[in-house]
Amino acid sequence: MKLARRGFIQGMGALGAAAGVSLDAVAQAVKAAKPAIKGKVSRTPLEVKHIKSGCAICPNFCGIDATLVNGVVRTIYPDAARAEFYNHGICPKGASGMFNTYDPYRLKKPLKRTNPNKGRNEDPGWVEVSWNEAFEMVAARMNKIKAEDPRKLLWQHGQGKYLTGENFAVAFTKAFGTPNMTHRTTTCEAARHVADELTVAGAGILPDLKHTKYLLNFGSSYFEGEQASRWMDWEAQQSIDKGLKIVVIEPRLSQNAAKADEWVPMRPGKDVAMLLAMAKLMIDAGTIDEPFLVEYTNSPELVGEDGLFIKDKDGKTHLVWDRLSNSAKPYVAGVKPALKGAYTVDGQPVRTAFQVFMDSIKDMTPAAAEEIADVPADTITRLAQTFAKEARIGEFIELEGQKLRYRPSVLYTFRGLSAKEHGVQGWRTGLILNMLVGNIDAVGGLRMDAPYDKPQYFDVSKCEYPPSRCDMAQSVYFPYANHHIAQQNLIVMQDPQSWGLPYVPEMQFFYGTNRPMSVPNSGMQFDGLSKTFNVVIDINMTELAWYADVVMPDKTYLESWHWASTRSTPEASHVAIRQAMVNPYNLEHDAFSIMQELMKRVGLADKFLDECNKAWGLKDVKFQPGKSYTQRETVEVMWADKAKKDFSYALEHAFIGKKRDLKSKYLGGVEAKFKGPGKPKIKLYADQLIETYYKAASIAQKNKLARVDIAKLKVAYSPLPTRAHAFPTPHLEAMDYPFYVITHKRMYRYQTGNTVNNVILNKALGKDVATNYVQINTATAQKMGIKNGDTVTIETRVGKINGEAQVVQGVRPDTIAVSYHYGQWSPGYSPDGHQGVALNEVLEHHPDIISGHNSFNDTKCKLYKA
Ligand SMILES: Nc1nc2c(c(=O)[nH]1)N[C@H]1C(S)=C(S)[C@@H](COP(=O)(O)OP(=O)(O)OC[C@H]3O[C@@H](n4cnc5c(=O)[nH]c(N)nc54)[C@H](O)[C@@H]3O)O[C@H]1N2
Ligand SMILES: Nc1nc2c(c(=O)[nH]1)N[C@H]1C(S)=C(S)[C@@H](COP(=O)(O)OP(=O)(O)OC[C@H]3O[C@@H](n4cnc5c(=O)[nH]c(N)nc54)[C@H](O)[C@@H]3O)O[C@H]1N2
Ligand code: SF4
Ligand SMILES: [Mo]
């Protein structure tokens, strides 16, 4: 690779240039950050300060307690006061988080590109510019677009959502008049959210771990990854001490699997087959919670032969089969719905939704599932039996004098079931298993955060065409992409007309994301970046920034003020702030001040503040027109409105926790929203999917949309999960590629380049942390003559990459596991960042056409010695 190192280094600031070895570089950075101590060492007492704040390196959002000595952050410990509400500890990334701030490789000055050609091997010809010049360049583009068509401007973010608070980005794009604001969720866990939304019209799940006795964990990696891990790891341990048994079902011996009672190494992507077999076993054995299915779910509703629910005379109300009158009736008081059965209504054959489900899985025996998922039929049977037995179907428990449903058995996942081409159907299958034992919002079961919060998710999708958004969210192409589609913008960008987009995007903002590197088939993403004027706001010279026209350095979470995200749990909810404690490089701006400044320069300052009020839902204390806000002042406004406590409390504690009472924990959710006659129902049968299939197919046919594959649409939009959902595209097509390849998080790294410059993580902890490996099963390696340390090639239908072999027992013989977080190529990272391999360069891209979610664990590959 040809790189004009010198010119580039100038743009990075002097410290980067001097940095041969990162440890030296950090020492220099710290020195530069402190006034030099001249002459004799002074004996004046050290100034020690403790500041409470929130970690924002990952979306666990732990409470932290930092110690500053003479203005330098020396230690970061967990905030002990938060243990009661959320995190008992913090992780190595958080404890060494100051090294992300004192990182000498950071961006320190705005940069502009002087070479118009964009590419991995193109030298951007960076030139440092003043903030004023950077703002002028960017505002000039924005003013042009504003006059022509504001939709041509796109804003995209990743972790940035949590760094500044997404609502500021919502306000920025709303005020400007563009629909194009895109978060990263479809590279993350969107499929899981959409599955929740289709099922309970609200998203957010956690196991009620305090009371759970049996946990089937399908790929929630809460010792290494997860988003509620600093609560889950502690809470699970407490429950293990009280008898909780954990079974981890995933292809790799994750740290969770290593600590579990049992590891079931299932073949990648085949979860649905195993889960459907378990469902069949439980139904056949009668170990299901029939009253729950009848009273809370749409299982008894009657389905016609077209797969749609039959309706009452009003054309809306669904019907059930009333066992008392032996006739089809709406489920109102006095009606006793049949759960199963086939009936005739107005001469038409109908079945209950539950009967349709039973019929659809009649061939999914444990033996059939064994063949697909490679889990012994006996194991599948035993897990189904234990899951049902431990659920104590029919039992109640008395807590604080309240009699509550008790189902201490739960099936949970994070990306294990969702980071797939059929991710929505994957987690829908998990939800159905939980419904079968009736554990939803029961003590020890699966807690829903806000069921029926957004009833619109029960509706048929609008299937928009022509699309209004460049990412195609909620369009005919991805009807239920309710969370934007992160990877799609850069694909559409390459040929917008072919998608029917009525405008051509011209400018993109990227904030706190390294989008192309975090998405499968990275190369395809980079191609989209050459078409637009790109502004990147980051703390590092990422690969994405390498394709920018203007780069703006941001402040880190230790340098800026924010109203902070938190992770609520089944036990508690919270509000929190983050506070600036240092500014070693004297940076001027952060995301909010950049947005505010740009809005001023395009004449939208007041509109922006007005949209901020709306986006944040401010009621009593609001942003005032005509005023300019510092970051700290924005936090003061929000604190005053939302926390209703003096700001001195925020400065001292940074946090207010609120424990949930029993009623809000168990009785405010599905119990209040769905139970009994006349209420909406949890959708075991997602009828809105099949209605959407008919609608999308007809729009596609009418408009001759070559990009809609109607046969695939039909498979994806099934109202019930089926065997087909265990066969993502590469499993059907890449027949000559014998291995499955999967990816996962590691404790010591965060996402792509975020932590690769942190010397503690990369130098102090040794080689195992400093790089990643191509993990191969011992038996496979032996057969192929591969030894530890050999360079091996992974070849997929996308391309080839080389990595270092690590021969292990903790992965299936037919599966190759490669972690995320390594193999950065941007010259802007420290040499440490370039170690290891970036799997996304060769993963196939097959988004879930329900949610837009990316497939990360579906690719097949060849493997050989390089
Ligand atoms: N192979 C594989 N790919 C994956 C995954 C996987 O497990 N395996 N995981 C997926 C998941 S779950 C997700 S969420 C996505 C993540 O995808 P992204 O959100 O794109 O994650 P990053 O690439 O780390 O981008 C975050 C960026 O924020 C920058 N940053 C950090 N702090 C600050 C700050 O204070 N201000 C600003 N402006 N920038 C900051 C970092 O330097 C980094 O460039 O990746 C997905 N991709
Ligand atoms: N240390 C660290 N922590 C993080 C992050 C990070 O980058 N680093 N990122 C944060 C973010 S944004 C997210 S979204 C979460 C993600 O948190 P998790 O979803 O908990 O973590 P992942 O490692 O992405 O995937 C979970 C597990 O799925 C398994 N898996 C792969 N294929 C299959 C399969 O076919 N079936 C099953 N059942 N399992 C499979 C993998 O082996 C992995 O252990 O982590 C968060 N926490
Ligand atoms: S788990 Fe995430 S939020 Fe918590 S300390 Fe670690 S990096 Fe920070
Ligand atoms: Mo994520």
Side-chain angles (χ1 to χ4, degrees):
M1 193 188 310
K2 212 175 99 257
L3 292 164
R5 179 88 181 139
R6 193 188 302 142
F8 166 66
I9 281 167
Q10 262 170 10
M12 299 289 293
L15 279 163
V21 181
S22 324
L23 275 172
D24 293 352
V26 166
Q28 288 182 45
V30 172
K31 207 165 123 200
K34 298 195 291 194
I37 303 166
K38 294 211 178 87
K40 259 174 57 180
V41 177
S42 137
R43 291 203 182 276
T44 45
L46 299 172
E47 191 213 345
V48 179
K49 233 162 82 180
H50 297 278
I51 298 181
K52 292 199 177 186
S53 191
C55 182
I57 291 179
C58 96
N60 266 284
F61 312 132
C62 299
I64 55 172
D65 191 340
T67 304
L68 283 79
V69 181
N70 287 352
V72 175
V73 181
R74 292 294 181 173
T75 60
I76 298 177
Y77 282 104
D79 172 11
R82 290 228 204 160
E84 203 186 330
F85 300 95
Y86 183 67
N87 64 302
H88 283 259
I90 55 173
C91 81
K93 302 181 292 300
S96 61
M98 60 287 222
F99 287 91
N100 277 31
T101 292
Y102 294 128
D103 168 17
Y105 287 85
R106 276 181 63 187
L107 295 164
K108 300 168 198 95
K109 291 270 163 59
L111 302 174
K112 82 170 177 200
R113 179 182 208 92
T114 54
N115 174 4
N117 299 328
K118 290 176 183 155
R120 183 165 167 166
N121 296 318
E122 291 287 345
D123 174 8
W126 296 123
V127 172
E128 268 185 33
V129 292
S130 68
W131 273 105
N132 186 49
E133 193 181 335
F135 282 135
E136 277 305 296
M137 281 171 70
V138 174
R141 279 280 173 156
M142 289 175 74
N143 273 319
K144 172 184 171 281
I145 292 174
K146 186 173 155 232
E148 286 170 16
D149 184 346
R151 294 177 301 176
K152 294 179 176 180
L153 182 138
L154 276 62
W155 174 283
Q156 304 203 46
H157 51 227
Q159 181 67 7
K161 169 175 179 170
Y162 315 114
L163 294 168
T164 188
E166 184 169 70
N167 287 325
F168 285 128
V170 169
F172 183 84
T173 45
K174 279 242 162 91
F176 193 75
T178 176
N180 289 310
M181 190 207 75
T182 303
H183 177 47
R184 70 180 181 195
T185 313
T186 53
T187 66
C188 181
E189 51 156 340
R192 207 183 71 149
H193 291 324
V194 174
D196 289 344
E197 287 158 2
L198 292 170
T199 309
V200 297
I205 44 164
L206 274 174
D208 185 21
L209 275 181
K210 215 176 207 45
H211 300 281
T212 308
K213 297 287 181 225
Y214 193 62
L215 172 67
L216 291 181
N217 178 350
F218 278 76
S220 149
S221 180
Y222 59 81
F223 286 121
E224 294 162 284
E226 250 274 4
Q227 294 194 353
S229 47
R230 296 291 80 79
W231 170 76
M232 286 191 82
D233 57 0
W234 177 265
E235 206 60 61
Q237 191 54 50
Q238 305 309 297
S239 294
I240 288 169
D241 297 343
K242 290 185 284 173
L244 166 69
K245 294 275 179 280
I246 300 176
V247 181
V248 172
I249 303 100
E250 62 160 293
R252 176 182 77 94
L253 186 74
S254 61
Q255 289 189 19
N256 279 72
K259 292 174 186 215
D261 294 277
E262 185 176 354
W263 170 42
V264 180
M266 185 204 49
R267 188 172 279 149
K270 304 302 188 186
D271 313 65
V272 170
M274 178 173 166
L275 289 167
L276 291 178
M278 289 172 65
K280 178 176 161 55
L281 283 160
M282 286 157 59
I283 295 168
D284 288 352
T287 50
I288 56 171
D289 190 341
E290 290 208 15
F292 180 85
L293 291 164
V294 168
E295 288 174 46
Y296 296 74
T297 79
N298 68 1
S299 302
E301 294 178 9
L302 299 172
V303 180
E305 291 207 301
D306 54 4
L308 301 173
F309 281 126
I310 61 162
K311 313 269 166 63
D312 203 7
K313 286 179 274 305
D314 63 2
K316 285 202 311 247
T317 313
H318 298 178
L319 300 173
V320 297
W321 190 259
D322 178 24
R323 291 192 285 137
L324 297 179
S325 64
N326 251 328
S327 63
K329 284 192 170 167
Y331 181 22
V332 291
V335 166
K336 285 239 163 310
L339 178 62
K340 304 172 189 170
Y343 310 91
T344 305
V345 177
D346 294 336
Q348 301 298 318
V350 297
R351 289 174 293 167
T352 68
F354 200 74
Q355 185 68 44
V356 175
F357 179 52
M358 285 167 56
D359 295 346
S360 72
I361 58 175
K362 64 177 188 307
D363 298 329
M364 194 44 85
T365 59
E370 172 173 345
E371 206 177 310
I372 299 171
D374 195 30
V375 175
D378 286 354
T379 305
I380 297 175
T381 308
R382 179 171 47 79
L383 292 181
Q385 286 169 347
T386 315
F387 180 62
K389 177 169 156 271
E390 294 295 333
R392 298 164 182 257
I393 294 165
E395 286 190 26
F396 292 86
I397 188 170
E398 204 174 291
L399 295 179
E400 295 170 29
Q402 284 262 15
K403 191 179 160 201
L404 299 162
R405 286 185 298 121
Y406 185 43
R407 300 285 182 280
S409 186
V410 64
L411 193 156
Y412 183 68
T413 190
F414 207 90
R415 291 179 83 246
L417 285 179
S418 63
K420 334 222 104 211
E421 181 176 353
H422 295 299
V424 167
Q425 298 286 5
W427 178 231
R428 283 256 312 139
T429 327
L431 284 168
I432 288 175
L433 265 278
N434 284 314
M435 279 180 229
L436 289 182
V437 296
N439 72 8
I440 315 259
D441 273 8
V443 176
L446 186 73
R447 187 175 181 279
M448 295 286 168
D449 197 34
Y452 213 60
D453 198 29
K454 297 196 167 123
Q456 68 269 27
Y457 292 141
F458 278 0
D459 297 342
V460 181
S461 162
K462 58 186 175 191
C463 296
E464 194 180 49
Y465 189 82
S468 59
R469 292 172 57 95
C470 180
D471 67 2
M472 302 292 134
Q474 297 185 332
S475 76
V476 67
Y477 303 105
F478 297 98
Y480 278 101
N482 300 334
H483 300 269
H484 324 144
I485 313 183
Q487 75 283 2
Q488 193 62 27
N489 285 314
L490 290 173
I491 293 171
V492 171
M493 202 76 71
Q494 295 168 39
D495 189 5
Q497 283 90 350
S498 72
W499 295 84
L501 193 69
Y503 53 92
V504 178
E506 250 184 66
M507 177 173 190
Q508 302 189 73
F509 278 93
F510 292 95
Y511 169 55
T513 177
N514 195 5
R515 180 79 79 235
M517 294 299 280
S518 47
V519 176
N521 199 340
S522 299
M524 187 161 86
Q525 297 286 314
F526 280 111
D527 290 345
L529 286 165
S530 54
K531 312 264 175 180
T532 44
F533 183 86
N534 306 323
V535 182
V536 169
I537 307 165
D538 207 293
I539 57 172
N540 289 318
M541 175 56 66
T542 62
E543 286 77 10
L544 171 65
W546 201 247
Y547 281 67
D549 292 279
V550 175
V551 179
M552 295 182 164
D554 195 11
K555 293 183 180 172
T556 68
Y557 72 108
L558 298 177
E559 296 165 337
S560 51
W561 288 88
H562 287 291
W563 177 255
S565 320
T566 61
R567 284 279 155 219
S568 66
T569 72
E571 317 295 336
S573 62
H574 348 110
V575 293
I577 66 155
R578 295 202 300 271
Q579 18 192 351
M581 47 188 91
V582 288
N583 190 358
Y585 297 113
N586 293 318
L587 294 175
E588 266 175 73
H589 285 284
D590 93 333
F592 173 78
S593 65
I594 290 171
M595 285 188 234
Q596 181 175 249
E597 187 58 39
L598 287 172
M599 284 283 123
K600 281 185 200 158
R601 288 174 193 238
V602 298
L604 293 170
D606 282 352
K607 191 145 188 239
F608 174 58
L609 293 175
D610 183 43
E611 292 293 349
C612 286
N613 288 331
K614 288 188 209 151
W616 284 103
L618 299 179
K619 293 191 186 80
D620 302 328
V621 185
K622 295 185 179 184
F623 296 107
Q624 298 300 321
K627 214 181 152 225
S628 196
Y629 289 85
T630 63
Q631 303 146 16
R632 177 178 162 146
E633 285 165 347
T634 68
V635 179
E636 287 183 40
V637 167
M638 286 188 270
W639 181 266
D641 185 72
K642 291 175 186 288
K644 309 252 179 306
K645 263 201 171 138
D646 195 77
F647 199 61
S648 60
Y649 190 92
L651 296 176
E652 192 181 342
H653 303 278
F655 176 80
I656 301 173
K658 193 169 157 240
K659 296 250 170 83
R660 292 184 208 279
D661 60 16
L662 215 61
K663 198 160 163 247
S664 83
K665 191 173 163 188
Y666 298 113
L667 301 173
V670 306
E671 209 69 32
K673 304 287 167 60
F674 297 116
K675 186 183 180 183
K679 295 266 180 68
K681 290 286 165 255
I682 298 175
K683 288 193 188 282
L684 176 128
Y685 188 90
D687 56 312
Q688 73 272 57
L689 284 184
I690 187 156
E691 287 201 50
T692 296
Y693 161 69
Y694 287 124
K695 184 171 173 183
S698 108
I699 293 172
Q701 272 155 351
K702 207 172 94 203
N703 294 286
K704 302 196 174 54
L705 300 182
R707 290 188 182 276
V708 178
D709 180 334
I710 294 189
K712 275 198 169 178
L713 193 68
K714 187 162 188 187
V715 170
Y717 276 73
S718 162
L720 288 164
T722 69
R723 183 183 181 281
H725 300 131
F727 292 88
T729 304
H731 294 202
L732 297 171
E733 292 178 355
M735 292 308 181
D736 302 338
Y737 295 75
F739 292 102
Y740 299 85
V741 54
I742 61 165
T743 166
H744 61 92
K745 307 291 191 288
R746 289 189 79 195
M747 172 54 93
Y748 301 98
R749 295 273 189 149
Y750 183 64
Q751 313 296 37
T752 66
N754 208 338
T755 38
V756 300
N757 290 343
N758 179 325
V759 276
I760 297 301
L761 302 179
N762 292 299
K763 285 265 190 290
L765 300 180
K767 188 189 170 204
D768 184 55
V769 172
T771 189
N772 70 344
Y773 302 93
V774 177
Q775 292 195 312
I776 307 164
N777 179 275
T778 316
T780 307
Q782 202 169 17
K783 241 187 270 166
M784 302 181 72
I786 294 170
K787 290 190 295 300
N788 254 335
D790 284 353
T791 303
V792 289
T793 302
I794 296 177
E795 180 183 339
T796 69
R797 296 195 294 175
V798 172
K800 296 178 193 178
I801 43 164
N802 286 347
E804 183 179 334
Q806 191 180 52
V807 178
V808 296
Q809 292 184 339
V811 66
R812 290 174 52 86
D814 60 1
T815 302
I816 309 298
V818 184
S819 85
Y820 191 27
H821 326 299
Y822 296 84
Q824 309 297 134
W825 58 257
S826 166
Y829 289 115
S830 71
D832 294 331
H834 300 190
Q835 307 228 24
V837 45
L839 187 66
N840 288 340
E841 295 196 19
V842 297
L843 288 184
E844 292 193 27
H845 172 257
H846 300 285
D848 176 12
I849 48 180
I850 300 183
S851 61
H853 200 290
N854 253 270
S855 50
F856 288 89
N857 295 308
D858 295 338
T859 300
K860 297 201 72 185
C861 72
K862 294 177 184 168
L863 181 87
Y864 40 87
K865 260 171 116 165

